[in-house]
Amino acid sequence: MASVALGTRVGTIEPLSADRAANTWHKVEFSPPFPANTKVVVMPMTQTYNGSEIPNLRLQNVSTNGFQIRFDELKSSVSNSDGDHVDETVGWVAYAF
């Protein structure tokens, strides 16, 4: 089922620091917020390549007002990461349906 976007918001977070051990989440607020009773989809992506390890972005609490994002180093079955990663710039786009 296709939907039509009712609006978009875009932004960057410079820098976004990784801190898996402290479970630190960065809060992003939409300005202006999306209309009530809409569904919001957020797509983040690193804009820089400051470290040789694979960065990992996680989102939570996505709402019409904003979202929370966390950044750490990807842990895989091949690599055992400590979660630390150098700061990166993260861009994001949010759509409301």
Side-chain angles (χ1 to χ4, degrees):
M1 177 178 177
S3 296
V4 176
L6 298 175
T8 58
R9 307 287 186 271
V10 296
T12 58
I13 305 164
E14 303 178 58
L16 186 58
S17 300
D19 192 356
R20 182 191 300 162
N23 196 26
T24 303
W25 291 86
H26 177 83
K27 186 174 183 178
V28 174
E29 294 182 354
F30 300 134
S31 180
F34 287 110
N37 299 320
T38 57
K39 295 185 186 279
V40 178
V41 175
V42 178
M43 297 185 314
M45 179 174 268
T46 54
Q47 304 293 296
T48 52
Y49 190 76
N50 294 333
S52 60
E53 292 82 13
I54 301 169
N56 183 48
L57 298 169
R58 298 181 68 190
L59 299 176
Q60 71 176 11
N61 300 323
V62 175
S63 73
T64 57
N65 295 314
F67 62 95
Q68 290 179 309
I69 186 169
R70 188 173 97 181
F71 169 58
D72 57 30
E73 193 172 286
L74 188 63
K75 186 174 184 177
S76 70
S77 59
V78 178
S79 168
N80 208 8
S81 168
D82 61 5
D84 288 332
H85 191 84
V86 296
D87 292 354
E88 300 278 3
T89 297
V90 172
W92 57 268
V93 62
Y95 299 96
F97 296 90

